Amino acid sequence: MASRHKILIVDDEPDIRELIDYHLGRDGFETFTAINGYDAIAKAKQFAPDLIILDVMMPEMDGIEACRLMRNMSQFKNTLIVFLTARSEEYSEIAGFNVGADDYIAKPIKPRALLSRINAILRRNVKQQEEDEHAKITIGDLVIDREAYLVYRGEEKIVLAKKEFELLYLLASKPGKVLTREQILKQIWEESVVVTNRTIDVHVRKLREKVGEHYVSTVKGVGYKFEL
């Protein structure tokens, strides 16, 4: 079967790497493996994967730090990053999304569910890129460039994490309209991903820190809207 996408699998446990590698390879993906965060960054630079499955708890450099470093590198701004972890604490989930994760998968691994999730994320990403190619929103001094995944405020360039950008683009595409948390979840996160209101609030807070407090307002008990 011809390879469709390149996937980097990062986990310090050999049996987990081998399990995921086997099932993804059988499903037609071109796969590479790494054993910790340092190794992941090196392999990602070498192979330019479309998606990285990144374990959170690893020696030498954990997944959170590796993701944070990669999100600050321009070549990985559109790379999908899915965290893999046995930890279920809310702070771990928030930390992952805070550094730019696209999704979160809990151990123990269920191969069929994992394949379904990976395929859904990739399909949605391809569809989104096709639909939004060359799209650009200009409101006042703010320019949101969908193709480059960049935001400009006057002459200043603002780099956002992928989910932060998608949230801003969604709100700015409907200026003045209140979007409920349910609408935001449906359009930005996969239905199979467990995302709490707290996660959305974290993304809004990060947006305000980077873009400016006055662009996104809270409608108490309902959701958020982009201010004209």
Side-chain angles (χ1 to χ4, degrees), residues 36-38 54-67 83 87:
N36 58 47
Y38 289 112
L54 187 61
D55 187 33
V56 171
M57 298 298 292
M58 295 182 293
E60 297 188 47
M61 180 189 288
D62 64 25
I64 300 292
E65 179 64 10
C67 181
F83 274 122
R87 301 175 66 178

Side-chain angles (χ1 to χ4, degrees), residues 126-194:
V126 169
K127 181 180 179 182
Q128 184 173 291
Q129 289 178 353
E130 291 173 349
E131 290 177 349
D132 296 327
E133 186 178 6
H134 307 303
K136 185 180 291 186
I137 295 174
T138 301
I139 301 178
D141 64 343
L142 199 68
V143 177
I144 306 169
D145 187 340
R146 183 58 150 165
E147 183 180 11
Y149 265 73
L150 288 175
V151 176
Y152 296 89
R153 185 175 55 204
E155 297 298 318
E156 178 189 5
K157 182 172 74 172
I158 303 170
V159 180
L160 302 177
K162 184 177 175 65
K163 291 300 182 186
E164 294 168 2
F165 182 93
E166 290 176 357
L167 176 57
L168 176 63
Y169 188 87
L170 174 63
L171 292 170
S173 68
K174 305 177 188 297
K177 179 179 179 179
V178 179
L179 294 179
T180 67
R181 285 181 168 85
E182 289 73 22
Q183 289 173 317
I184 292 171
L185 286 172
K186 184 176 180 180
Q187 296 194 52
I188 295 187
W189 278 276
E190 295 294 322
E191 292 182 2
S192 56
V193 181
V194 178

Side-chain angles (χ1 to χ4, degrees), residues 171 174 176-179 215-219 223-227:
L171 292 170
K174 305 177 188 297
K177 179 179 179 179
V178 179
L179 294 179
Y215 288 107
V216 180
S217 64
T218 302
V219 180
Y224 297 97
K225 70 175 180 177
F226 189 90
E227 294 289 357

Side-chain angles (χ1 to χ4, degrees), residues 198-217:
R198 172 62 178 156
T199 302
I200 298 177
D201 294 340
V202 167
H203 281 73
V204 170
R205 176 175 59 79
K206 298 293 287 185
L207 260 185
R208 287 170 173 160
E209 290 175 357
K210 296 177 181 180
V211 177
E213 291 284 341
H214 64 284
Y215 288 107
V216 180
S217 64

